[in-house]
Every structure is written in structure tokens, then in C-alpha cells.
Amino acid sequence: MSRITKNGALTSICSLALLALTGAMPAHSGPPWVSIEYPVNPYDATHRGAFLLVREYHHAQQMPGVVTGSAEGLAGGQRRSITLRFDTTSNQSVMALRKQWPDAGTWTLLIHVGQGHEGDGVTAIVDIGSAGEVARVRVPTVKQKGWDIPRVISAGEIDSSLTARAAHR
């Protein structure tokens, strides 16, 4: 190993140790964010036929992540859950969601963006209106040190919301 390589390796090790000791975080630390786009742009061929688009962010930058989701509903008096599939688009940070739930019933979409690790990420709650449109989008958060940090959504919250919305239909 040449002297330059040794020095370069030593510098890298020292830099990592300094970051660890000072508690400094790399540029990609912190939670991701999710944005729901509706209606979709019909002029992009990869968007055609999509119900909505999911944009993934890390701070101000769009970044690809792992997108998962489910359609949670009350249909015919029965509680239902459908795992959603997302399609790629012309932008690696944007996924397309095509309609995969029935028209009948009261439906809420849970769309989660993360890096594939348990407990990380952010979830958007998308309420579907009686005409099949996006009626409301929210991302539950908590304040931490002046920041809005995504919080975990309980199954009880979704059940209560579905029951209340179904009662008003």
C-alpha cells in the first residue's frame, strides 16, 4: 500500500471517528417525506391511468425510497384491507398508484414511504370521497425541536375514521 493510500485511508477513518464522537449526522439523516399528487399529469405516458402519484422526499430533495401501502375500507358492513401495488414513472422519485379497491364502501389509503427499515418513514392518509375522488390527504406529525416529524398511525385511528366517515354517507 502506498503512503498516499495509507494517508487517505487514515483520513477517512479519522473523519468517520470525528463524526461519531461529535454526533454529527450525514446529509441523509432524518425522516423522509411524502407528497400526494392528484389529479395526475395526463401528458406523461407513465402517469396515464394512475389514480394518484406519490412523491418521495428527503428534506427538500426528491429521493427514491420504498413505497408500500394499503387500501383500508368498510364495504358491505365488513372491514377490508387490500395491499396496494405501485408502478414506476419517468421520475425515479415518483410512483404511480392505479385504483385497486372497489367503488362500494368507505375507503382510506395508507401510503408509506421509507428506506425499508422497520419503524422508519412517513405515512400519508388519503381519504377517498363518496364520488371516488381524493377527499383529503394528511400526514400525521408531532413537533420535535421545532420540526414536524412523521408519527406512527394506529389501527384504531384508521378504524375510527372509517366508521365516522361511513356513518355520514
Side-chain angles (χ1 to χ4, degrees):
M1 190 182 275
S2 73
R3 184 174 173 101
I4 295 172
T5 304
K6 286 180 186 176
N7 287 343
L10 183 58
T11 301
S12 294
I13 291 169
C14 289
S15 296
L16 289 173
L18 184 59
L19 282 172
L21 289 173
T22 62
M25 294 189 279
H28 294 299
S29 65
W33 192 254
V34 60
S35 181
I36 304 300
E37 184 176 330
Y38 174 89
V40 302
N41 174 5
Y43 303 116
D44 183 324
T46 62
H47 297 179
R48 281 193 206 120
F51 179 73
L52 58 77
L53 299 178
V54 179
R55 291 188 181 273
E56 311 154 52
Y57 292 91
H58 192 272
H59 298 285
Q61 268 188 298
Q62 287 191 43
M63 300 201 55
V66 177
V67 179
T68 58
S70 62
E72 303 296 328
L74 284 174
Q78 299 291 319
R79 180 73 165 79
R80 301 212 24 219
S81 183
I82 299 169
T83 301
L84 298 173
R85 287 181 330 277
F86 296 86
D87 299 325
T88 58
T89 68
S90 57
N91 180 329
Q92 68 176 352
S93 300
V94 178
M95 300 296 283
L97 175 66
R98 286 159 179 42
K99 187 173 181 294
Q100 300 162 44
W101 54 95
D103 292 330
T106 302
W107 292 93
T108 292
L109 309 178
L110 300 179
I111 300 173
H112 184 80
V113 173
Q115 296 302 314
H117 308 291
E118 186 66 32
D120 78 343
V122 58
T123 302
I125 301 172
V126 181
D127 293 334
I128 304 301
S130 58
E133 80 287 4
V134 170
R136 179 175 149 183
V137 177
R138 62 194 183 283
V139 178
T141 60
V142 294
K143 283 278 190 208
Q144 288 184 5
K145 298 180 183 178
W147 292 92
D148 290 321
I149 304 297
R151 70 171 177 80
V152 175
I153 302 158
S154 73
E157 284 179 83
I158 300 304
D159 289 342
S160 295
S161 173
L162 285 171
T163 301
R165 290 178 41 236
H168 288 94
R169 282 193 165 206

